[in-house]
Amino acid sequence: MKKTLIIVCMATLLAACNSNKKEYDATGTFEATETTVSAEQSGTLLNFALEEGDDVEAGQEIGLIDTTQIWLKIRQATATKAVYQSQKPDLQKQIAVTRQQLAKAKTEQQRYRELVNDGAAPAKMLDDATSQVQVLQRQLDAQVSTLNTQLSTLNSQMSATDVQTSQLRDQLQKCHIKSPATGTVLEKYVERGEFVSPGKPLFKMGEVKQMFLRAYVTSAQLQNIKIGQAVKVFADYGNGQKKEYDGTISWISSRSEFTPKTIVTDDERADLVYAVKIAVKNDGYIKIGMYGEVKW
């Protein structure tokens, strides 16, 4: 009789222990990678065809800021470059006359050299011809130097207008509002017709097809998990309604959620928790902020 009573008591205690055993190893909430898209240029929002809940693709154009002033500045820079281009001197034509005079002077110098050598002309005539050649050579060198300086200045000014045009075209491109990634619009902050400025938030989007369960584990549980480990994730809808998903541990925090004191007791050490992220492919039922559980 006593043996039967003991067996019944042990069975009762075992059942109680099993009933208190948790069906999960950690809990947390679901989150998504969220991105806030802001304006990069100032102006009136001419188009903004976007609503909360819309799915957008990476690179998709979803809005346009007024580009009138930027286009006018581009035309002005193009006209300025054309003016600089028209002012560029033709080096060969500019020095053609001096070069011809120099060639003639050198011919005269050679003729007088031959006459002096033959004794048919005084040496002074050769000296005068040589001096004339030297003068014309200096004039030619000065002309070339001046024209090269002028060309260099105009080329630099043209390069500056090219840089200015490139900057303006970059600004023009930024007037076209595009989605930086594929996802779903979570919040919309502006409407068509509003004036926006650089840095003003336009909308927030999230990559809801790939969700993450952010859970917390104790230091004792760290030895049971590692990055890349496959786990089971349960989305909790309340009233005992759960849905199971396959998950993969994608991140484990390298430090606890708070800075411990220099001396930590065993009880306090047990209270230290570490954040982990479990990647889950969303089938459309998991929502941001929903409660979840994980089992490994």
Side-chain angles (χ1 to χ4, degrees):
M1 182 68 179
K2 290 182 178 180
K3 289 183 178 180
T4 303
L5 181 60
I6 292 174
I7 292 174
V8 171
C9 291
M10 290 179 64
T12 303
L13 290 173
L14 183 60
C17 290
N18 290 334
S19 62
N20 292 331
K21 185 179 179 180
K22 295 181 178 179
E23 297 179 355
Y24 53 84
D25 294 305
T27 62
T29 55
F30 287 98
E31 59 184 35
T33 301
E34 299 181 2
T35 303
T36 299
V37 180
S38 301
E40 297 184 84
Q41 290 296 318
S42 60
T44 303
L45 199 57
L46 300 180
N47 182 31
F48 197 57
L50 192 71
E51 298 296 337
E52 295 179 355
D54 287 350
D55 292 328
V56 293
E57 299 292 332
Q60 177 183 341
E61 183 171 329
I62 52 182
L64 177 66
I65 299 173
D66 187 11
T67 61
T68 304
Q69 293 302 316
I70 297 178
W71 265 116
L72 291 175
K73 290 179 181 179
I74 290 176
R75 293 182 61 183
Q76 182 181 23
T78 303
T80 301
K81 181 179 179 179
V83 171
Y84 291 144
Q85 180 67 39
S86 66
Q87 293 176 349
K88 291 177 65 175
D90 189 328
L91 181 63
Q92 298 304 318
K93 289 183 179 180
Q94 293 280 356
I95 65 175
V97 175
T98 305
R99 180 174 287 173
Q100 185 177 6
Q101 291 174 344
L102 178 60
K104 183 178 180 181
K106 287 181 177 181
T107 301
E108 290 294 318
Q109 180 189 33
Q110 181 62 29
R111 187 169 67 86
Y112 283 124
R113 181 178 291 111
E114 293 174 355
L115 290 173
V116 169
N117 290 336
D118 293 340
K124 185 178 182 304
M125 297 183 69
L126 177 59
D127 293 340
D128 291 342
T130 301
S131 178
Q132 181 66 17
V133 170
Q134 292 174 347
V135 170
L136 290 172
Q137 184 64 56
R138 293 192 189 98
Q139 289 180 354
L140 180 63
D141 293 342
Q143 277 185 309
V144 171
S145 176
T146 300
L147 291 172
N148 282 334
T149 301
Q150 187 177 354
L151 279 171
S152 178
T153 300
L154 290 171
N155 286 333
S156 297
Q157 290 173 327
M158 291 175 65
S159 296
T161 57
D162 287 338
V163 172
Q164 182 183 9
T165 301
S166 297
Q167 291 175 334
L168 290 170
R169 291 192 180 280
D170 179 66
Q171 295 176 12
L172 185 68
Q173 186 65 29
K174 290 178 179 178
C175 287
H176 296 263
I177 304 168
K178 297 182 179 181
S179 173
T182 300
T184 301
V185 178
L186 303 177
E187 296 181 48
K188 179 182 177 182
Y189 303 124
V190 295
E191 296 292 341
R192 176 182 176 184
E194 291 189 35
F195 183 87
V196 297
S197 56
K200 181 179 178 63
L202 302 177
F203 66 97
K204 180 191 291 186
M205 61 177 296
E207 191 179 350
V208 296
K209 292 183 179 180
Q210 180 70 31
M211 301 287 284
F212 295 92
L213 176 66
R214 178 184 285 268
Y216 294 89
V217 299
T218 63
S219 57
Q221 291 176 297
L222 288 177
Q223 62 182 342
N224 299 321
I225 61 175
K226 64 179 180 179
I227 294 178
Q229 178 178 337
V231 296
K232 291 297 182 181
V233 175
F234 301 89
D236 193 334
Y237 296 92
N239 296 325
Q241 301 296 319
K242 297 180 181 181
K243 190 171 184 179
E244 181 179 330
Y245 296 87
D246 293 326
T248 304
I249 297 177
S250 60
W251 174 78
I252 302 175
S253 176
S254 59
R255 62 178 61 187
S256 59
E257 288 297 294
F258 60 92
T259 304
K261 296 179 294 184
T262 304
I263 299 176
V264 181
T265 65
D266 289 340
D267 291 338
E268 289 172 324
R269 185 178 292 115
D271 292 335
L272 299 180
V273 292
Y274 296 80
V276 298
K277 279 186 177 181
I278 298 95
V280 180
K281 186 175 182 180
N282 189 7
D283 58 358
Y285 292 99
I286 303 177
K287 306 300 180 183
I288 296 175
M290 181 180 289
Y291 179 79
E293 301 168 352
V294 57
K295 181 74 175 178
W296 48 72

